[in-house]
Amino acid sequence: MNRLYYGDNLKIMAEKMLKDSVDLIYLDPPFNSKKNYNLLYKKMTGKPVSEQVDAFCDTWEMDAQKEKAAEAMPLLMRQHGVEDYYVKFWRLWILALKNTQPHLLAYLIYMVERLLHMKTILKSSGSIYLHCDPTASHYIKVMMDGIFGHQNFRSEIIWKRTSSHNSAKRWGPVHDTILYYTKGDNYTWNRVAQPYDDSYIDAFYRHNDKTGRFRTGDLTGAGTRSGDSGKPWKGVDPTKTGRHWAVPAIPGLSKEEIKALTVQERLDRLDELGLIHWPSKGSIPQFRRYLDADKGVAAQDVITDIDPISPHAKEKLGYPTQKPISLLERIILASSDRGDVVFDPFCGCGTTVYAAERTSRTWIGCDIAILSINLITDVLTSDRFRLVNGKHFEVSGIPASVDGAQQLFTRDPFQFQHWLVERIGGFPTHKKVADSGIDGRIYFETKDGLKDMILSVKGGNVHPTDIRDLRGCLEREHGSEMAGFLSLKSPSKAMREEAASAGMYEYNGVQYERIQFLTVEQIMEEKRFFNTPSRIGTRVKSAQGSLPL
C-alpha cells in the first residue's frame, strides 16, 4: 500500500517501518528550512509572508537536545556497525565544529541520526541517493562512507540545475550534488539511457536512408581467426586485412538462436534486415546503427540534459526546492524494478511520489509539514492521477478527531504541537526545547505592515498561569498584536478572566480580544481565530488540475 506519513521521519522509520523493507531511498533534506517553509506557506495560503520574516526557529541550531544526541552518537554508530575509525572522526568533528560552525554541526547530527535508520530499513540489494548542494556534501559524504561503507560508494552525480549564475569573485554555482551509495555488492541496477545531444547526432549520425539517420560501426575485430569468423563472406575476406568477423547481436533473435547460426548466416540475417552498410567497392561492409533503434547514451554522472523547472512550468507547485520529475524518474528506473518500494523521508511537494507512481513503484513519503502532506494529497486526488485516499494510498499521522489528537499528544507531544499550529494556518517552531512560551505564529496584514499572533499549545492540563505566561510573551514581542491559546482541554473561567484583562485589539474596524482561545474540538469543527485559513492546501487542488504528471 502506498503511504504518506505526517511526522518526524526519525520516529516514522524507527516505529513504523520494518528492517530491510525498502528498495530505494531518495532524500533531498532541506538545509535552509526556514526559507523553504516561508515560501511554501505564502504560495499555498496567499498570506504575505516574506523571506525576511523570522517565521520559526530554524532546525539547525545547537540546543540541549542536539548536545545530548552528539554525546550519544558514538554508541549509536557502533550499534549500527560503523567502524571505529569513523566514530573517532565524529568525535573530532564535534570538537572542531562546536564553536566554529554550530549550525553545520547541528545539521550533521540531525542527518547522521536519520541515515543510520535509513541503513536499517534498506534492503541488502537497496540503494540510497542523497541530494544536496556543495555547502555540506563533502561532510555528508564522509558520514555516508562510515555508515554505508566506503566500498559501497557508487557515484557522485552532478546535476546542472541552472544555466548560469552570476556570483562575485567565484565560479558561478550552477550544480547540485547527488551522492549514490548501495547497501552491498548485490544491488539493483538497470541501464538507463539519456538522449544524445544535437551536436553528438550531427557528428556521428551522418548518414540517412528511408529508415532514418544512422551511423556505421565495425563488423570486424582485430586479429585473424581460423574458424568461421575468419572465412570470407560475399566476396569479402577479413583475413586479408588482418581482421576477423565480429557480428553484433541480431534484432529479434535470442542468444540461443544466434549461437545455432554460422558467422556467415548471421551476416546474411543482418543483411536481410537492412543493417549492413556497403561502402565503395573493395571496402569491408559495416554495421548500420540507426538513431531511432538506439536508446541513447548510458546515463552519465554529469546530468546536463534535465533542465530545472521554469517559473511558469505546469509542473511547478510553488515549492522552492522542487526537482524535475524526469530527474527522479531516471534515478528510480536505474535503481529499482516495477513494484519495488521507494521511500522519500523529506517528500516536500511530492516529486518522488509522482515519479514512483508513474513508473509503477510502491512508494512511501514522509514530511514533518502538514503543508506538504496536504499538497501531495491534493495532487494525487486530482484528475491527473485519480487516486482515492484510502484506496490507492493512505495518509497516516494526521488526527481526524479529538481522540486522534489525544493519541498524537500522548505519542509525540512535539508533533502534536506542530500539527495543531499548522492545522489553523500558522507557522510552528521547530525547536523541541524551551522557546519562551511561543509555539508558533500566524501572520496578517495591517495598514501598518505585517503583524502576527503568537501561539501557545497545551496538550495536558491547563492553568491560569499559562495565560499569564502567554501575556508576558505578548508584551515582550515587538510586532505581535495578539496571542492564541490552543489546547485539548477547555480553558477555565479563571483563565478566560486572565485573558480578558489583556484588553482588546482593533483590526479592520473590529475589536478582538488580544488573547483568544481555541480547543481541538472547536478546530475540528473548523472554527478559527479572526482571519486564519480553514485548511492549508485547499487552493492547490483547483489550481493544479492540469498538472502534467
Side-chain angles (χ1 to χ4, degrees):
M1 172 65 75
N2 300 318
R3 189 179 300 274
L4 282 175
Y5 283 109
Y6 168 61
D8 185 341
N9 54 39
L10 185 62
K11 284 184 173 289
I12 298 302
M13 288 187 288
E15 299 173 5
K16 302 291 185 181
M17 301 182 69
L18 299 176
K19 181 181 179 181
D20 303 326
S21 61
V22 173
D23 297 282
L24 171 62
I25 299 174
Y26 170 86
L27 63 153
D28 184 9
F31 190 78
N32 190 356
S33 54
K34 184 186 303 180
K35 176 180 177 181
N36 294 346
Y37 197 95
N38 283 357
L39 290 175
L40 183 61
Y41 181 93
K42 180 178 180 180
K43 172 71 177 181
M44 298 181 67
T45 67
K47 296 297 175 182
V49 182
S50 68
E51 294 182 47
Q52 289 72 38
V53 174
D54 188 13
F56 65 97
C57 298
D58 202 288
T59 306
W60 320 131
E61 293 184 3
M62 284 302 296
D63 51 35
Q65 183 195 30
K66 287 193 175 64
E67 293 275 3
K68 184 177 180 180
E71 293 175 4
M73 194 67 72
L75 177 60
L76 185 64
M77 293 171 78
R78 288 192 177 97
Q79 289 174 345
H80 283 79
V82 177
E83 296 179 3
D84 281 344
Y85 171 82
Y86 290 100
V87 176
K88 293 176 181 178
F89 198 86
W90 174 257
R91 292 184 185 276
L92 291 174
W93 264 7
I94 293 175
L95 294 174
L97 299 176
K98 187 173 182 179
N99 296 320
T100 58
Q101 298 188 63
H103 290 282
L104 177 59
L105 179 58
Y107 177 73
L108 292 175
I109 292 169
Y110 177 93
M111 287 305 305
V112 170
E113 283 183 305
R114 285 153 177 79
L115 287 168
L116 290 170
H117 281 280
M118 290 177 205
K119 180 184 178 183
T120 298
I121 66 173
L122 196 62
K123 291 181 181 178
S124 59
S125 58
S127 302
I128 180 170
Y129 289 77
L130 191 150
H131 194 139
C132 52
D133 64 26
T135 306
S137 61
H138 45 302
Y139 291 95
I140 292 293
K141 187 176 187 294
V142 173
M143 286 294 93
M144 293 187 77
D145 279 350
I147 295 169
F148 293 94
H150 178 71
Q151 72 280 8
N152 292 320
F153 167 72
R154 302 301 169 188
S155 298
E156 181 180 56
I157 303 164
I158 302 301
W159 174 51
K160 186 181 178 183
R161 57 176 171 78
T162 183
S163 57
S164 62
H165 195 289
N166 294 325
S167 186
K169 296 185 178 180
R170 65 167 178 161
W171 303 95
V174 298
H175 81 277
D176 279 358
T177 299
I178 304 174
L179 301 174
Y180 166 39
Y181 285 76
T182 61
K183 195 170 180 177
D185 291 332
N186 185 24
Y187 56 94
T188 300
W189 178 256
N190 303 307
R191 183 187 185 277
V192 175
Q194 62 188 60
Y196 295 123
D197 58 38
D198 291 340
S199 61
Y200 182 90
I201 293 173
D202 291 340
F204 293 97
Y205 287 84
R206 298 189 297 254
H207 304 283
N208 268 293
D209 63 13
K210 61 182 180 180
T211 303
R213 296 184 68 158
F214 67 91
R215 63 180 297 183
T216 57
D218 286 335
L219 281 171
T220 61
T224 60
R225 299 289 187 273
S226 59
D228 282 348
S229 62
K231 296 179 180 179
W233 174 71
K234 291 193 174 182
V236 179
D237 186 357
T239 303
K240 290 183 179 180
T241 58
R243 299 179 71 81
H244 67 278
W245 295 114
V247 185
I250 302 173
L253 296 185
S254 66
K255 290 181 179 180
E256 290 73 20
E257 291 173 322
I258 293 173
K259 285 182 180 179
L261 301 175
T262 66
V263 171
Q264 283 67 30
E265 288 172 335
R266 297 175 198 175
L267 290 167
D268 286 338
R269 183 64 63 89
L270 288 176
D271 200 21
E272 292 170 2
L273 293 172
L275 296 178
I276 300 292
H277 177 65
W278 292 92
S280 57
K281 187 176 181 180
S283 299
I284 292 180
Q286 294 179 302
F287 178 64
R288 291 190 180 192
R289 190 180 299 275
Y290 284 95
L291 178 63
D292 290 343
D294 281 350
K295 296 181 179 180
V297 64
Q300 306 296 298
D301 64 6
V302 177
I303 300 175
T304 59
D305 63 304
I306 298 178
D307 295 327
I309 301 173
S310 71
H312 305 294
K314 290 183 178 180
E315 184 179 334
K316 188 76 172 176
L317 291 171
Y319 207 76
T321 58
Q322 182 180 350
K323 303 304 184 294
I325 293 176
S326 55
L327 178 64
L328 270 298
E329 284 183 331
R330 182 169 295 178
I331 290 172
I332 290 172
L333 290 171
S335 292
S336 69
D337 296 320
R338 290 173 66 92
D340 281 356
V341 177
V342 178
F343 175 50
D344 187 342
F346 300 90
C347 61
C349 63
T351 302
T352 305
V353 169
Y354 312 139
E357 185 66 33
R358 287 186 11 166
T359 54
S360 301
R361 271 62 170 174
T362 301
W363 51 263
I364 302 172
C366 179
D367 207 282
I368 198 171
I370 201 171
L371 288 165
S372 297
I373 302 302
N374 284 339
L375 170 59
I376 296 170
T377 300
D378 286 339
V379 173
L380 290 176
T381 54
S382 67
D383 292 340
R384 179 60 59 175
F385 281 109
R386 300 183 186 278
L387 300 184
V388 180
N389 191 13
K391 183 178 180 182
H392 293 81
F393 72 99
E394 292 181 355
V395 179
S396 178
I398 299 179
S401 65
V402 176
D403 288 342
Q406 178 66 65
Q407 292 171 13
L408 177 60
F409 173 70
T410 302
R411 184 174 69 250
D412 189 343
F414 175 73
Q415 191 61 40
F416 168 80
Q417 169 190 305
H418 194 117
W419 162 75
L420 198 52
V421 171
E422 285 196 315
R423 185 67 166 78
I424 64 165
F427 285 88
T429 175
H430 276 191
K431 293 182 72 174
K432 297 186 180 182
V433 294
D435 51 13
S436 303
I438 300 174
D439 299 319
R441 299 176 188 268
I442 293 175
Y443 291 89
F444 57 95
E445 284 182 295
T446 73
K447 62 181 180 181
D448 298 319
L450 198 64
K451 302 293 184 180
D452 69 78
M453 167 188 271
I454 61 174
L455 303 173
S456 177
V457 178
K458 297 294 180 183
N461 294 326
V462 292
H463 309 281
T465 53
D466 297 329
I467 305 305
R468 287 195 287 272
D469 292 342
L470 181 58
R471 182 177 179 181
C473 291
L474 182 58
E475 299 299 334
R476 290 194 305 269
E477 290 294 308
H478 177 70
S480 299
E481 301 294 349
M482 290 181 286
F485 189 80
L486 308 169
S487 60
L488 267 170
K489 296 185 177 181
S490 298
S492 65
K493 180 180 178 181
M495 294 173 67
R496 293 189 179 279
E497 289 174 349
E498 183 69 34
S501 67
M504 307 293 289
Y505 173 72
E506 182 178 328
Y507 176 68
N508 286 343
V510 179
Q511 293 288 326
Y512 295 94
E513 292 182 347
R514 291 191 72 208
I515 298 180
Q516 302 173 35
F517 297 90
L518 274 178
T519 65
V520 170
E521 183 176 8
Q522 290 173 321
I523 292 170
M524 290 294 180
E525 295 171 352
E526 300 300 331
K527 294 180 180 178
R528 296 292 183 267
F529 293 127
F530 67 110
N531 76 325
T532 57
S534 60
R535 177 179 180 267
I536 298 175
T538 53
R539 295 181 177 216
V540 176
K541 190 170 184 179
S542 59
Q544 302 298 336
S546 59
L547 191 67
L549 300 175

